[in-house]
Amino acid sequence: MTDWIFQADHLVDDEVAENPRDWWNTPHHRDKITIGDRVWIQVSGRHSPGLHYVATVVSDVYESTECMDPERPGFGRWRTDVRFEYRIDPPLPRARLLNDPFLGSFKPFRGFQASNKPVPDAIAARLAEIADVTPLEKR
């Protein structure tokens, strides 16, 4: 199993409440993402940046012909389905991640210009240690 950070540019609470299963744009590392991998959902930007959810990859990466954003025609071309499993409660804010002596050196916590990045095993273990997670209701 590999751990990943998948980036969101907004809070995804409404989407998760509506449906705990969704697709995620995965333009990078398509050949490495596998069913069962753990995904840490990181919100970027000014509003509550940090880790908010833990999800599981539930499909192989696939190519979609559906254009999701006319201004970014390649967005959503490569997708992976995920099932949101846990809410990180409270979320792990970016400041806490960057101030952690161990996690602070992991550059993706500063934000990144891609949708998905692999997480080294030691970083994933530390996240699992400090994240308080609440299971989402199963649907």
Side-chain angles (χ1 to χ4, degrees), residues 97-98 100-108 110 123:
L97 297 168
L98 293 176
D100 183 283
F102 187 74
L103 298 174
S105 64
F106 187 54
K107 290 182 181 180
R110 294 185 185 106
I123 298 293

Side-chain angles (χ1 to χ4, degrees), residues 55-109:
T56 301
V57 172
V58 294
S59 77
D60 291 322
V61 176
Y62 58 94
E63 187 173 10
S64 174
T65 57
E66 180 182 5
C67 179
M68 298 306 296
D69 185 344
E71 293 181 21
R72 298 183 295 168
F75 180 82
R77 177 179 174 200
W78 295 101
R79 299 177 179 186
T80 303
D81 293 339
V82 298
R83 182 180 57 242
F84 291 87
E85 304 279 356
Y86 301 97
R87 177 185 311 279
I88 301 173
D89 192 19
L92 291 172
R94 178 182 290 158
R96 179 173 178 197
L97 297 168
L98 293 176
N99 288 327
D100 183 283
F102 187 74
L103 298 174
S105 64
F106 187 54
K107 290 182 181 180
F109 290 145

Side-chain angles (χ1 to χ4, degrees), residues 2-73:
T2 300
D3 280 68
W4 298 91
I5 287 183
F6 284 9
Q7 181 175 274
D9 62 1
H10 64 282
L11 292 172
V12 295
D13 297 338
D14 292 340
E15 291 97 327
V16 172
E18 185 178 316
N19 187 355
R21 185 175 167 142
D22 203 353
W23 64 268
W24 211 268
N25 187 43
T26 48
H28 306 287
H29 309 288
R30 294 187 300 269
D31 60 332
K32 295 179 178 75
I33 297 171
T34 60
I35 295 171
D37 284 353
R38 180 169 49 188
V39 176
W40 300 88
I41 303 296
Q42 174 173 271
V43 174
S44 64
R46 288 184 248 163
H47 303 289
S48 291
L51 299 177
H52 288 254
Y53 288 93
V54 179
T56 301
V57 172
V58 294
S59 77
D60 291 322
V61 176
Y62 58 94
E63 187 173 10
S64 174
T65 57
E66 180 182 5
C67 179
M68 298 306 296
D69 185 344
E71 293 181 21
R72 298 183 295 168

